[in-house]
Amino acid sequence: MSTESLKYFNLGRNLLSGFEQLPDVLPWVNLRFLSLSSNMFHGPLPIPAASTLGYEVQDNNFAGEVPPGICNLSSLLALDMSNNNFSGMIPQCFGNFSDHLTLLLLGNNSFHGTLPQTYTNKSNLRMLDVSQNQLQGQLPRSLANCLMLETLILSNNNLSDVFPIWLGTLPELKLLAMRHNGFHGVIGKPKNNQRFPKLRLLDMSYNNFTGQFLAEYIFSEYAMRPNVTVSQTTYIDADISYESGNGVITLSYGSTITITSKGVDRYYSKIQEAFAVIDISSNKFEGKIDDWIGNLKGLISLNISNNLLTGGIPSFLGNLTQLESLDLSNNKLSGEIPQQLAQLTFLAKFNVSHNNLTGPIPSGSQLRGFNVTSYEGNSGLCGDPLPKKCGNSDTPAQLPPSGTEDSSSGFGIEFDWKFVLSGFGSGLVVGVVLADVAITRRPVMFLEIVGTLIRLMGRIRRWKRSGRFI
């Protein structure tokens, strides 16, 4: 093929392992788009012509440092180098590219060092994914210049910084994933109450955040409303057009992410704009569950597990009727499970295990249909699916007053037959008196009285038989 006429070249999704004679710079001088993705290419990264607008090499075995010649591609709109074996530092020129670059995907490699430091206020960057590398240091504050940024994925690195509340100035940011890093500290109040205006997916799990999680500092009630998009088929993506020999070809690049949903890590190759997730699990957050969460009516998944949260489970969670997954496990929550949670008819995953919860599991709802593991580690809980029952199955059991013995430890059966026996032996009046004692006194005291009366009745019967009782 002519090295001057070829503009669009797609070799993706084959079993190719390399070029017969691979030059350092590929020969097609007017190339607009080149895809080598999903093959078995290996060795150093080949550099296409400076005219290239889109370059895809993801899902191969390319290795080594990125050649300096990549910085000649100053007109790039899309660069996808994810899922390879690249090492070394991310070229600083990638930050300078942001005036044109729309898509930069570098995830799942072995890059180390810091992120590029320079992003200008002319940036056109919409997606940045550097997850699953070995990056360190703080986030460059110049990211706040990327006013078109919609997706920022930083997960699974060694980044160390406070929560980037300053990213709340980004008007288009919808997805922020920063799980498995060294982010730390208390989330402070933003200046001028500037919340993230469009953020719908936040994953900050497995970090070292402390203090109280105040959702009102981060989320806009407007952005988290239900059915925020026109249809459920709208995705977080970016369309980029390339010139080819037969006209213009438009390719759509979607955000991909792995998040914990419904209790397991799930890989999403596409993310609907209507998808609303908060995952703050495995940190050191403390205090009560923030009331502001009750305003985020579009939430589909809420995971606050493995923290130090105290207080009760708030009833306002029952207003989040879109919830499909709710994980409150491994905290220090106390009190009863609110009956309002029975309104969450879409729940497919529910976990409150390993807290200090008490009382009955709400009856007449799907909450009783979850596995026993959803409730284990709460010695005060009772009712299906737990083996510990609550007494009268038709009404919620009343907990014993503080400092008294637990009446559900086997006394229930003894109470029933001894009550009948005592009533039978001593007449209606004694039975009524004993019923009052049973209700208003401790069960142990009642059993002692019953035992005394039974022994007394036995003596009376023996006296009658001996003729000494008149």
Side-chain angles (χ1 to χ4, degrees):
M1 289 182 280
S2 169
T3 59
E4 296 183 357
S5 61
L6 186 63
K7 294 183 178 179
Y8 184 92
F9 195 11
N10 190 343
L11 294 171
R13 300 184 182 277
N14 284 288
L15 299 173
L16 301 171
S17 58
F19 293 91
E20 182 176 349
Q21 292 181 337
L22 183 64
D24 292 336
V25 178
L26 298 177
W28 305 291
V29 294
N30 291 313
L31 200 63
R32 294 292 183 268
F33 174 85
L34 174 62
S35 177
L36 309 177
S37 64
S38 302
N39 278 283
M40 296 186 293
F41 288 107
H42 55 88
L45 178 70
I47 303 300
S51 60
T52 305
L53 303 177
Y55 190 23
E56 299 179 354
V57 298
Q58 71 271 23
D59 301 309
N60 279 287
N61 296 312
F62 287 116
E65 296 187 7
V66 180
I70 196 77
C71 292
N72 295 326
L73 309 183
S74 57
S75 297
L76 274 176
L77 300 178
L79 177 61
D80 190 347
M81 299 171 57
S82 57
N83 302 314
N84 279 283
N85 298 310
F86 292 114
S87 58
M89 296 185 65
I90 297 175
Q92 291 296 313
C93 65
F94 285 177
N96 300 329
F97 285 178
S98 66
D99 287 4
H100 300 283
L101 198 63
T102 299
L103 182 87
L104 179 59
L105 306 180
L106 306 175
N108 197 19
N109 282 287
S110 297
F111 289 116
H112 65 264
T114 61
L115 283 166
Q117 298 297 305
T118 305
Y119 301 90
T120 73
N121 55 12
K122 297 179 181 179
S123 171
N124 198 44
L125 195 63
R126 293 177 60 183
M127 293 185 185
L128 176 60
D129 183 352
V130 294
S131 61
Q132 301 185 69
N133 282 285
Q134 300 167 22
L135 300 175
Q136 299 172 317
Q138 297 182 331
L139 299 182
R141 297 313 190 252
S142 60
L143 277 173
N145 291 326
C146 301
L147 299 180
M148 301 297 292
L149 193 63
E150 297 180 16
T151 299
L152 179 58
I153 305 178
L154 309 167
S155 303
N156 298 86
N157 279 286
N158 300 313
L159 297 169
S160 180
D161 204 345
V162 296
F163 182 78
I165 198 73
W166 42 272
L167 288 177
T169 60
L170 298 182
E172 301 296 329
L173 190 63
K174 302 171 184 176
L175 188 162
L176 175 58
M178 46 199 301
R179 67 187 310 203
H180 282 287
N181 274 285
F183 290 101
H184 56 270
V186 176
I187 299 177
K189 186 175 182 179
K191 295 180 179 180
N192 302 319
N193 292 322
Q194 177 65 55
R195 302 186 186 100
F196 291 74
K198 289 190 178 181
L199 188 65
R200 289 181 63 86
L201 195 158
L202 173 64
D203 186 352
M204 50 194 295
S205 59
Y206 296 95
N207 281 283
N208 295 307
F209 290 111
T210 57
Q212 189 174 6
F213 176 75
L214 296 175
E216 63 180 305
Y217 286 178
I218 300 175
F219 294 98
S220 163
E221 181 180 354
Y222 177 81
M224 278 288 194
R225 69 193 190 281
N227 303 320
V228 68
T229 53
V230 176
S231 73
Q232 297 295 313
T233 58
T234 304
Y235 294 92
I236 301 176
D237 56 17
D239 292 338
I240 300 178
S241 298
Y242 304 106
E243 182 184 353
S244 72
N246 297 319
V248 176
I249 295 177
T250 299
L251 298 181
S252 181
Y253 296 90
S255 298
T256 63
I257 193 174
T258 298
I259 61 174
T260 302
S261 178
K262 301 179 182 178
V264 297
D265 284 349
R266 297 176 182 270
Y267 173 76
Y268 291 84
S269 59
K270 290 184 176 182
I271 302 174
Q272 293 179 346
E273 288 200 351
F275 198 45
V277 175
I278 297 177
D279 189 345
I280 64 170
S281 62
S282 300
N283 281 282
K284 298 176 183 177
F285 286 115
E286 55 191 19
K288 297 181 178 180
I289 298 175
D290 184 21
D291 292 350
W292 184 262
I293 293 177
N295 297 320
L296 309 181
K297 302 295 178 62
L299 265 180
I300 292 176
S301 177
L302 175 62
N303 187 350
I304 63 175
S305 64
N306 292 284
N307 280 286
L308 304 172
L309 299 175
T310 55
I313 297 176
S315 60
F316 64 71
L317 292 179
N319 297 328
L320 305 180
T321 55
Q322 304 294 312
L323 274 181
E324 298 177 9
S325 179
L326 177 60
D327 193 344
L328 312 177
S329 63
N330 290 282
N331 280 285
K332 298 180 179 181
L333 301 173
S334 57
E336 297 188 357
I337 300 175
Q339 184 67 39
Q340 288 86 346
L341 266 59
Q343 301 169 188
L344 304 178
T345 55
F346 290 143
L347 269 187
K349 172 68 178 180
F350 180 65
N351 194 346
V352 293
S353 63
H354 301 288
N355 280 285
N356 301 313
L357 301 175
T358 56
I361 296 171
S363 60
S365 71
Q366 68 187 82
L367 296 183
R368 292 199 170 191
F370 290 106
N371 192 284
V372 66
T373 57
S374 295
Y375 303 100
E376 64 186 5
N378 295 280
S379 59
L381 280 181
C382 60
D384 292 334
L386 296 172
K388 180 180 178 181
K389 304 309 175 186
C390 299
N392 188 342
S393 59
D394 295 330
T395 58
Q398 298 296 319
L399 297 177
S402 176
T404 64
E405 292 84 0
D406 188 350
S407 63
S408 63
S409 58
F411 288 131
I413 298 177
E414 292 186 42
F415 175 93
D416 290 340
W417 74 261
K418 288 187 178 180
F419 186 89
V420 173
L421 179 59
S422 62
F424 177 79
S426 55
L428 177 61
V429 175
V430 176
V432 171
V433 172
L434 291 177
D436 180 68
V437 173
I439 295 172
T440 60
R441 302 292 189 273
R442 297 192 305 179
V444 173
M445 181 186 298
F446 168 72
L447 294 177
E448 291 175 353
I449 295 172
V450 172
T452 300
L453 288 176
I454 291 174
R455 289 193 295 273
L456 179 60
M457 294 302 296
R459 289 178 183 176
I460 292 173
R461 284 194 295 271
R462 287 195 297 274
W463 290 343
K464 281 184 175 182
R465 287 194 297 269
S466 65
R468 291 181 291 175
F469 180 79
I470 300 175

